[in-house]
Amino acid sequence: MSEPHQETPEELDRANARPVDEPAPTGGKLDEPNPSPVRGEEVLLEVDHVTLRFGGVVALNDVSFSLRKGEIFGLIGPNGAGKTTCFNAMTGVYRPTSGTIRFQGESVVGKKKHEITRGGIARTFQNVRLFPEMTALENVMVGADAHHKTSVISALFRLPRFWQEEKSGRARSLELLRFVGIAHRAGDVSRNLSYGEQRRLEIARALATNPTLLCLDEPAAGFNPAEKEELLQLIRKIRDTGVTVLLIEHDMRLVMGVTDRIVVLEFGKKIAEGTPAEVRDNPAVVAAYLGVPTDAA
Amino acid sequence: MDFSGLIDNFGPLTVTGLAQGAIIALFALGYTLVYGVLRLINFAHSEVFLMGTYACLIVWGFFGLDQNSAAPSVGGMLLYLVIGLVVAIIASGVTALAVEVVAYRPLRRRNAPPLAFLITAIGASLFISELTGVLTHRNQRGVPPIIQAKPLFTIGDTTVTNLQLLIIVLALVMMFVLDRFINGSRLGRGIRAVSQNPDSAALMGVNKSRVIALVFLLGGLMAGIAAVMYDLKIGVTRYDAGFLLGIDAFAAAVLGGIGNLRGALLGGLLLGVLQNYAAGLFGSQWLHAASFVLLVVILLFRPTGLLGESLGRARA
Amino acid sequence: MSEKASFRSNGGVRGWYGRQPAWVQWIVIAIALVLAFLLPYAGDIPLIGPQIVTEGIDWPSALFNMSYYVLLALGLNVVVGYAGLLDLGYVGFFAVGAYGTALLTSPDSVLYADTGWKWLMAVPVALALTMVAGLILGWPTLRLRGDYLAIVTLGFAEIIRIFATSTTTLRGDRGFASIPHPPGTWNGEPIFGVTDAVPYFWLGLVVIILVILGVRNLDRSRVGRSWLAIREDEEAAEIMGVRTIKYKLWAFAIGAFIGGLGGVLFAGEQGFINSQTFVLQFSILVLAGVVMGGSGNMAGAILGGALISYIPDRLRGISLGDTDLYEYRFALFGLVIIIIMVLRPQGLIPSRRRAMELKDREKEVAPQ
Amino acid sequence: NSGSSSDDTASEGNCGYKLAFFGALTGSAANLGVNIEQGFELAIDQYNKAKGSTCIEVAKFDSQGEASVAPGVARSLVADKKILGIVGPPFSGESEAADPIFESAGIPTITPSATRVSLASKGWKVFHRAVANDDAQGPAAAAYIKDNLKAQKVFVADDQSAYGAGLADVVKSTLGSLVVQSDKTEGDGKQADFSALVQKVSSSGATALFYGGYYTNAGIIRKQLTAAGWKGTLVGGDGMKDPGLSKASGVAAAVGTIVTCPCSPPEAAGGTFVNDYKAKWNQDAGTYSDVAFDAANIFLQGIDAGNNTPQKLNDYLKTVNYKGIANTYKFTETGELDPSLIKVWAFKFDNSGDSKADVEIKTS
Amino acid sequence: MLLEIDNVTLAYGRIQALHGISLTVGEGEVVALIGANGAGKSTTMRAISGLRPVSQGTIKFDGQDITKLRADLRVIRGVSQSPEGRGIFPGMTVRENLEMGAYTRRNRTEINEDLQRAFTLFPRLKEREKQTGGTLSGGEQQMLAVGRALMSRPKLLLLDEPSMGLAPMLIQQIFDIIVEINQQGTTVLLVEQNAQQALSRAHRAYVLETGRIVKEGTGRELLNDPAVKDAYLGVA
Ligand SMILES: Nc1ncnc2c1ncn2[C@@H]1O[C@H](COP(=O)(O)OP(=O)(O)OP(=O)(O)O)[C@@H](O)[C@H]1O
Ligand SMILES: Nc1ncnc2c1ncn2[C@@H]1O[C@H](COP(=O)(O)OP(=O)(O)OP(=O)(O)O)[C@@H](O)[C@H]1O
Ligand SMILES: [Mg+2]
Ligand SMILES: [Mg+2]
């Protein structure tokens, strides 16, 4: 089973204390050859020699990989390997100690969290973080608002833009709820949704921000095998709408079944990269992560 | 600005500030203890203090002492002081418990949101202080001269009186005792456990209700001591004395990092001294303004106070 | 049968109202408005009237006082109820609004030679000033959490009061006299005179209605959703694209604006203000009103705001045996607060959200 | 309906009218308000006793001494058409807020204690002041410090109230170079620890401290000064003339404290006021109880003379020349006490815990 | 029976987490509770230890009804839990954390004995004796939680996913320890995602699905049950 790394308030404080809005250190590595060459396909996200330390802990150690547009990409590794940290660095929660992360050719390091989201990266959380007292629909509409332009003034005076965006946002949010299969719970407060529904709602909310890249942190936690199968279909469906998916997951059936390529982390270092089949047979990965069946130990 | 006013009086302003700060610190401990365990501002703590200031005056009154009495002998002084302290501690402790039982416990039973606690606390505070106001006709009550202030020793041009020394030493000793209790005793461990993880504490067999009551009681105890020291130092009490000093004490608790015992001491002393300096430099009317400016500036750089929060981590 | 069941599950007046067709709702609103405007004449209702109106303080004046308390409650509700920012020094904005008006209009002001404006001219400037004050308070406190924010806001209000008391420009206790009243004449007489408070109450009521409409529009929009999201989980909100800083600042600015409105009206009615009015207890009382009424819900804030002004006024002239309860009014008021909060921790008219939340939470109390 | 019926009942013997007290009866400023109300009520009581019936009724209006509360209360006062005159408001702040309403209703007021100078310059026709304003008291206090105490070094402080600061400013400018240092404190109920002020006073070498403020703060300051070993004299204005000062500080510390008052000692006026007051209210007359008593009597005399409308009574005040127990009263055009009648006395706290008349101060 | 749960339902707000479950644990048994995420396993544990109120049904311990008893009083009667998420006191040292486990006990010598036993079971904790709980690694925290739960000398030990976050070698070890504790006379109710291991050590086991018990049997029976195999024992 996974060991959920909970982002405790103290950790978040610590992270927030780091000024995220300092100018990004430009590594000047743009001209260097790409560490994982992409065969003619468009690179969407590029993690470039990223290192991230918390005091003495090196959570990410010189990690590089890149995502191509339209693929489903897996990020796996033992507990504490740095997977969630990697997400956090991409979405502006943490700032890499060194290295750069480029999204659609532009560095995201040092950008505000909401700017990154508006720029096209959306995510879910390892431990569900919905707005518990808001309804499912409202939760999704918060996501949809990311691309709205209604100002306080136009909301106050109900200017045409308000009506137009409110209407389209609501319609789109309902559609997304339908898409993830919980339209019937639209009016319910999200705290009262079951665990599985909450996870789906998180996906809908993330999709509402209109992302180019969707990052899912252990979306199958809390799902039984049948639900996992549905999730697998959903992820494919999302990809088919043109969204690139980055997936953290400990359930190997799911990961092997859905991803196009996989990167494996261990102790913050990349130890393998390749197709599911390649990774499954990689002895280093077997030793560090997949392991020998427990009952044979 | 009057730099000479500050520089000429620097020593005495420091000492009187420390004495005032020590009272504020003892008072602030109550906020910090309750906050550490329950994560709520016990707004009624100011009235816990208020009851202490009156209780010792009333019991001294039984001995025929009032503001016009002559100063007692050394033996009498010690006797009256001890009696006053005991009675004030009891009064404050009982008030604190009563507030807990009447205003907080019913809400806890219903798992009410935190703001609700704040408002009942405000209600309790209003009730106690206003009732006191009506019953005393909002008059001041003078304090008998239990301790005649006498210079004890002089450093440079700064004399330290017996009363100032008593207040400062008492605050330090109480802090030390409280610190030992919280960190060293079984019950103290229970308090820390509830503050760090209430559910786990229950799983260890800690009676949460009892710990909460204990915390209010301890806060009351410290407020009782602070109240007697306040009476002796200020010389007068009134129905709004708690509210007035309570704001300082609350600020001190936050300044040091609310929930942190040593933070309360540090915050109290710092505030007391700073207020005096500000009064020397800008004039007495700016003393409270100065303390709030300091608070804002410090919180800007350290959003959780000087020593950070958490009763449980008081050690670290 | 099913009608009845749904009535129970969504009971009370609100449940009934929610199920009416739009035209019924409009009629209800219209009747409520007319009744509100007729409140000054409540004393003329046989039997009930004398129970309602105040003694010892002019009833229309008491109503006007309620109206600015309600404004303050509405404004604080935006800050505390919607955005979840605990503000213990809200009276500061009320003060800024009142002082802004006084500085621009009173003959006692140092600016009088240059400005000496009419009340109405001063209003927009005073309100702009309060919004700036809101931003000045909001900006440095953005990083602070709940209780730290509380003490800092309390400190800000105290600093404003001490500043007003101790600087010659703001005249301290001497105050500003002869602040002009709002404009307008009727049959050659000024509408806003000194002896009749009814027009002031009506003015207050109109302002309240406008504020309600405005806040409601904001609440039911992207802005309100953002506030709610920030209150629930600030970081998650930001990661979902909410500009948390911007919306927190808006909450402060809008709250300040509404508080400033209260101050402007207050100054216009009183004609005189000094630093004594803007004490800390005032803020704390308004906060108590908001939470008691039901924080996060405008109807609740309105009720709470009105009550904190009405209860003490109504206790004038009531005696129990030989004791006039008036003297005990704040002690009694404290008791009322405790009783209300213990019986209804969610407030008198909570928002549906809060009411539900509390109901759920109540079920989760571990055995005691 | 009270308006129409009042005309009929009132015509016989000028009875059936009311006189109103307007001021603080509750709240933190209630002490002063109650002193005044009791003096006022005593006068009406005695008048009614003499008449053998409740001829003139007492109406009490509680403003809490707050400017923000005063207008509503004032409006409810003017709604009562039986009220012919008002004693009050006691404080200057509430006067600013309430007097425009009385002015517009045309009801005459006599304030026994609102001493802010500017009140008389607003053009209010109903405004009358039965005491000297701050401009008279400040120079007197300064003169006492200079001539009677013969202090060479004086420290001046105030509580930033309009009253206290106004007084202190006048004292400061009158004493000139004798003032070695000055300070300001926070107001009544907003500060209790005066150690910084005490320290400054002690180290300044001043032998007299003039404090512009009320007895509540003054009592604490006196006590803390004594505790710190300062041996000088505390001097203040009429706001400190209250036994409450010694109740806070202790009699021993308060002895010798000087308070000035633009009033004559009531015991000097002879008569039975002091004993009557004590008999009725079971406490000693306080600050301004006597002036309020006089103010009420001025009204009663006017009503007796047939001035049974507010308008007539107000006109009557323009001509009045009444010798009361605290003073002789004659009002100028602006409602001020005639300058020739202004007397300022110094009172000194003694072992009884109260202040006793010391000397009449001559400001030449 | 040491523990008898009869038709217990429990809700978080509106979420019904347990829909009337009944189970028993006999004196000296190791009983395993398995099920998917969110099935209600931890909720069952919380109901037994008293952290959450049950809305219906009864819980009997040692023949007495403890349904409405406060959590801390249940500890005194002999119920001890190592909670999900470990519930370490982050500001206390390892030693203090362990001593918290013996909060209800007074006998110093016995407590010291048990402290030594915990250190013997988990030598790693001895090394870290003075380190604060919050700075321990996940696996160490898990050891601490189990060790702490043992410190009250419980009659019934509730273990909620004790293998969570432990390295494979340690997983083996912790199951050995459970067996050892059980052999020393402590009854154990074990919640595990690692169904393979749990079922092979348990005398009896229950399968929980969305708040209902859907299967029960001996460990071996369930281990060989095709449905269980498919749902809970699938590929790693
Ligand atoms: N704020 C922080 N401060 C200190 N250390 C941290 C912080 N956040 C993460 N770490 C450490 O960084 C390492 C990587 O953590 P991360 O959450 O990225 O792991 P993960 O690969 O997502 O593991 P899991 O599978 O358990 O989710 C861990 O050792 C963790 O303890
Ligand atoms: N504090 C809570 N508030 C609301 N719902 C909760 C809470 N805790 C658990 N639940 C819900 O109750 C149900 C049962 O949860 P429980 O934690 O008992 O599952 P579990 O079987 O222990 O799962 P896991 O394997 O993840 O530990 C789930 O639907 C869960 O979402
Ligand atoms: Mg993770
Ligand atoms: Mg669980």
Side-chain angles (χ1 to χ4, degrees), chain E:
Chain E
M1 282 294 143
L2 187 63
L3 177 75
E4 289 171 75
I5 298 181
D6 187 30
N7 198 25
V8 160
T9 64
L10 193 155
Y12 295 100
R14 237 148 283 185
I15 306 173
Q16 191 78 16
L18 298 181
H19 301 264
I21 64 159
S22 304
L23 60 84
T24 57
V25 180
E27 190 104 42
E29 274 189 317
V30 175
V31 174
L33 204 53
I34 61 172
N37 278 140
K41 307 179 297 293
S42 301
T43 305
T44 308
M45 298 298 239
R46 288 184 200 124
I48 299 170
S49 60
L51 286 182
R52 294 283 167 187
V54 305
S55 17
Q56 262 173 45
T58 53
I59 302 174
K60 273 191 193 164
F61 180 71
D62 229 356
Q64 278 167 324
D65 189 344
I66 58 165
T67 318
K68 297 250 178 295
L69 203 62
R70 272 202 332 253
D72 54 300
L73 297 178
R74 299 188 198 195
V75 179
I76 294 174
R77 300 214 177 175
V79 182
S80 180
Q81 184 185 358
S82 156
E84 184 175 43
R86 299 152 195 154
I88 294 299
F89 301 113
M92 295 191 188
T93 62
V94 168
R95 193 190 179 94
E96 281 175 323
N97 261 289
L98 287 172
E99 285 186 347
M100 275 312 298
Y103 189 79
T104 54
R105 297 168 54 201
R106 306 269 175 178
N107 188 327
R108 270 312 323 174
T109 45
E110 273 181 29
I111 293 176
N112 280 335
E113 265 170 36
D114 287 2
L115 206 56
Q116 292 317 316
R117 185 172 74 133
F119 285 145
T120 326
L121 284 177
F122 303 105
R124 182 91 187 170
L125 294 183
K126 178 77 193 158
E127 292 167 29
R128 306 281 160 145
E129 194 178 333
K130 299 227 157 49
Q131 196 174 328
T132 49
T135 64
L136 293 178
S137 82
E140 290 159 349
Q141 286 192 0
Q142 190 63 56
M143 293 179 227
L144 183 54
V146 175
R148 191 180 60 179
L150 286 173
M151 288 294 292
S152 69
R153 290 212 177 164
K155 289 186 197 150
L156 173 64
L157 180 62
L158 307 171
L159 296 175
D160 199 343
E161 307 206 22
S163 74
M164 186 194 259
L166 293 182
M169 239 180 58
L170 275 169
I171 293 183
Q172 193 58 42
Q173 199 183 327
I174 197 108
F175 283 105
D176 291 343
I177 288 173
I178 291 169
V179 171
E180 189 186 325
I181 294 167
N182 177 247
Q183 279 163 359
Q184 289 168 7
T186 307
T187 309
V188 178
L189 179 58
L190 174 67
V191 163
E192 255 307 327
Q193 290 286 357
N194 200 330
Q196 183 80 44
Q197 290 275 2
L199 291 180
S200 60
R201 301 299 207 288
H203 298 113
R204 291 189 305 115
Y206 293 86
V207 179
L208 211 53
E209 253 171 40
T210 56
R212 293 188 179 80
I213 290 188
V214 293
K215 256 195 182 65
E216 65 170 294
T218 64
R220 198 130 297 276
E221 275 166 20
L222 292 181
L223 210 47
N224 296 321
D225 186 301
V228 173
K229 250 185 178 160
D230 186 43
Y232 305 108
L233 305 175
V235 206

Side-chain angles (χ1 to χ4, degrees), chain B:
Chain B
M1 252 188 270
D2 179 12
F3 284 106
S4 66
L6 176 60
I7 294 163
D8 294 349
N9 298 316
F10 190 79
L13 285 179
T14 308
V15 175
T16 49
L18 281 176
Q20 182 70 6
I23 295 173
I24 295 176
L26 283 172
F27 194 165
L29 286 174
Y31 287 108
T32 264
L33 279 165
V34 171
Y35 187 87
V37 169
L38 290 179
R39 306 282 132 166
L40 74 93
I41 307 166
N42 179 14
F43 223 88
H45 189 57
S46 48
E47 274 54 52
V48 170
F49 169 85
L50 178 70
M51 290 297 103
T53 66
Y54 271 103
C56 62
L57 291 189
I58 290 169
V59 76
W60 286 334
F62 288 148
F63 290 93
L65 294 170
D66 66 12
Q67 70 277 7
N68 298 327
S69 311
S73 64
V74 174
M77 174 187 100
L78 285 178
L79 177 73
Y80 292 136
L81 195 60
V82 169
I83 291 176
L85 280 171
V86 168
V87 171
I89 285 172
I90 292 174
S92 290
V94 167
T95 311
L97 279 183
V99 168
E100 204 282 305
V101 171
V102 174
Y104 292 146
R105 193 166 291 184
L107 289 181
R108 227 177 23 252
R109 286 252 160 81
R110 301 186 63 176
N111 217 347
L115 260 186
F117 287 87
L118 182 69
I119 304 303
T120 44
I122 289 172
S125 163
L126 203 58
F127 176 71
I128 299 175
S129 70
E130 282 293 318
L131 199 63
T132 312
V134 174
L135 296 179
T136 60
H137 301 288
R138 296 180 201 271
N139 282 327
Q140 296 165 311
R141 186 164 175 149
V143 177
I146 300 292
I147 298 183
Q148 198 80 20
K150 285 200 199 78
L152 266 192
F153 55 85
T154 307
I155 314 166
D157 57 354
T158 308
T159 44
V160 178
T161 66
N162 48 358
L163 183 59
Q164 288 164 341
L165 193 70
L166 173 74
I167 293 173
I168 296 170
V169 168
L170 202 56
L172 291 175
V173 168
M174 288 322 296
M175 251 323 290
F176 180 76
V177 169
L178 189 64
D179 203 75
R180 291 302 334 133
F181 176 77
I182 299 282
N183 286 318
S185 74
R186 176 173 165 277
L187 271 176
R189 263 209 308 277
I191 293 177
R192 293 171 61 207
V194 173
S195 87
Q196 289 179 24
N197 190 335
D199 273 357
S200 280
L203 291 180
M204 301 300 116
V206 180
N207 182 343
K208 195 176 157 195
S209 295
R210 190 182 298 166
V211 160
I212 290 170
L214 179 68
V215 162
F216 275 89
L217 197 67
L218 284 175
L221 199 141
M222 296 296 150
I225 298 172
V228 176
M229 297 300 119
Y230 175 90
D231 277 348
L232 295 177
K233 178 164 190 292
I234 302 298
V236 162
T237 188
R238 198 167 80 158
Y239 73 100
D240 55 3
F243 182 80
L244 188 59
L245 197 64
I247 291 175
D248 282 339
F250 180 30
V254 171
L255 187 62
I258 191 163
N260 185 318
L261 294 180
R262 292 169 197 189
L265 183 72
L266 181 66
L269 294 179
L270 200 62
L271 215 60
V273 172
L274 178 98
Q275 289 189 348
N276 263 4
Y277 291 164
L281 195 56
F282 306 108
S284 298
Q285 76 269 35
W286 293 107
L287 109 199
H288 284 113
S291 56
F292 284 118
V293 169
L294 172 82
L295 187 71
V296 172
V297 170
I298 286 187
L299 288 185
L300 275 186
F301 291 102
R302 294 191 64 97
T304 52
L306 286 173
L307 298 188
E309 50 186 41
S310 170
L311 188 60
R313 286 169 216 198
R315 231 160 210 274

Side-chain angles (χ1 to χ4, degrees), chain A residues 3-5 79-80 82-85 126 217-218 248 250:
Chain A
E3 173 202 331
H5 169 67
N79 292 127
K83 306 180 293 293
T84 302
T85 305
Q126 183 165 358
D217 198 347
E218 300 197 25
I248 295 182
H250 284 294

